[in-house]
Amino acid sequence: MQQANKIPRDAILRKMKQEISKGIPIIISGAGVGIVGRVIEKSGADMAVVYNSGYFRMNGHSSILGNLPVGDANQIVYEMGRDLILPVTHELPVAAGVFCVDPTRNMDRFLDSLGELGYSGVINYPTVGKFSGKFRQEIESVDLGYRREAAVMKLAHDKGFLTIGYVYTEEEARIMVQSGVDILAAHAGLTSGGDIGATCACSLEESIAHTHKVLSAGLDENPDIIPLCHGGAITGAADFEKVFQQTCALGFIGASSMERIPVENAIRQTVLDFKSIRR
């Protein structure tokens, strides 16, 4: 199978900004299996992201496993891109979810290897931004914290990758923008909905307020970044439309909401349709 080629960052950004100028939102989708990558490319998505959580979610587990010590996050994303996603996406730019604070890898060489596979972008996932409290303090105290993630994102930017920064707080937004990310994604938490979605997610109103506050902090640092929303109660197009109209977000980056929940719904309904047939 033909492997994808790394698409230049400037070309990706130029196309995205053309969409924005027309009032069209930027839509980025997770791709945990090849058929998702192939379909979202044909459906007009602006970019795909390969997350280690996609491996888990599309195999029936919660996406939260991507943040836990189950498997090798960076190796999973390397192999998913090589074997599943990049062979079936030829014009769609694809970003790799990189665990940036991995001390067992030379991140300079690892980023080069991702580019050689055909990855065009990098996003900081899994991210220590997911953690708070005492555990977060301990991570930060041993140089495995958020600023180390930001440094790797800057390295990726300098290597010509399009960079997407997941941020949970206003401070993280400022840190990521100062590191030169092209896209800022305000993370509202684990996505609710479906069979294995979060049952403790914030409300849509809370997601809207959080998104606007975090993205505004990033835009204050650099008004040229592309601000996106993600997660929490933003589980479908109707939810996103409210966020799109009420915040400064210019698009959406979805994982569970773009691949897991639609697959769950479609398969469930298909089985019910077949089972409803009678003699």
Side-chain angles (χ1 to χ4, degrees):
M1 251 182 209
Q2 180 184 354
Q3 199 81 344
N5 293 317
K6 181 180 178 183
I7 301 172
R9 177 178 64 231
D10 289 348
I12 301 170
L13 288 173
R14 183 165 54 251
K15 187 174 180 181
M16 287 184 175
K17 289 181 178 179
Q18 288 173 351
E19 295 285 280
I20 291 169
S21 70
K22 299 173 186 176
I24 301 171
I26 300 304
I27 302 299
I28 299 176
S29 173
V33 290
I35 192 170
V36 172
R38 181 165 59 81
V39 171
I40 64 172
E41 179 175 59
K42 291 183 176 182
S43 301
D46 296 287
M47 195 168 198
V49 177
V50 178
Y51 302 94
N52 73 320
S53 59
Y55 170 82
F56 296 116
R57 109 176 109 252
M58 299 309 287
N59 279 286
H61 306 291
S62 172
S63 301
I64 197 71
L65 277 178
N67 290 97
L68 298 175
V70 181
D72 180 338
N74 286 327
Q75 187 64 24
I76 287 171
V77 164
Y78 182 89
E79 293 176 359
M80 287 174 67
R82 181 193 65 194
D83 301 335
L84 303 177
I85 312 303
L86 294 169
V88 298
T89 52
H90 306 300
E91 298 180 10
L92 181 72
V94 182
V98 174
F99 182 45
C100 297
V101 301
D102 181 354
T104 68
R105 276 181 172 77
N106 180 305
M107 296 308 295
D108 189 287
R109 290 201 295 266
F110 182 61
L111 290 173
D112 286 342
S113 73
L114 294 176
E116 289 166 4
L117 280 184
Y119 276 115
S120 303
V122 170
I123 186 170
N124 59 317
Y125 187 90
T127 171
V128 300
K130 186 73 175 175
F131 303 116
S132 60
K134 179 69 171 176
F135 186 49
R136 176 67 177 273
Q137 292 172 8
E138 291 173 345
I139 290 173
E140 298 284 351
S141 73
V142 294
D143 191 33
L144 295 174
Y146 197 81
R147 289 188 181 276
R148 183 163 175 169
E149 282 189 22
V152 173
M153 295 296 284
K154 183 179 187 308
L155 178 62
H157 179 274
D158 292 344
K159 287 179 176 292
F161 289 97
L162 180 134
T163 49
I164 308 169
Y166 265 141
V167 294
Y168 290 82
T169 67
E170 294 166 90
E171 180 185 7
E172 290 171 359
R174 287 188 283 267
I175 290 171
M176 272 296 171
V177 173
Q178 290 165 5
S179 298
V181 295
D182 304 294
I183 296 174
L184 202 64
H187 204 306
L190 188 65
T191 303
S192 60
D195 291 341
I196 50 176
T199 58
C200 58
C202 58
S203 68
L204 183 59
E205 290 70 26
E206 290 169 328
S207 295
I208 288 171
H210 170 80
T211 296
H212 190 68
K213 179 176 68 173
V214 171
L215 292 180
S216 293
L219 288 167
D220 285 344
E221 290 288 329
N222 179 5
D224 291 330
I225 61 165
I226 297 174
L228 305 180
C229 59
H230 173 88
I234 313 168
T235 62
D239 302 322
F240 166 64
E241 183 176 17
K242 292 178 181 178
V243 181
F244 190 56
Q245 299 295 341
Q246 298 180 40
T247 75
C248 52
L250 295 176
F252 175 68
I253 177 168
S256 290
S257 54
M258 296 292 286
E259 57 175 356
R260 172 179 63 81
I261 295 173
V263 166
E264 289 173 352
N265 291 339
I267 292 176
R268 180 182 298 109
Q269 190 58 53
T270 299
V271 171
L272 291 172
D273 289 345
F274 273 92
K275 289 292 290 183
S276 69
I277 297 171
R278 298 290 183 270
R279 287 190 182 275

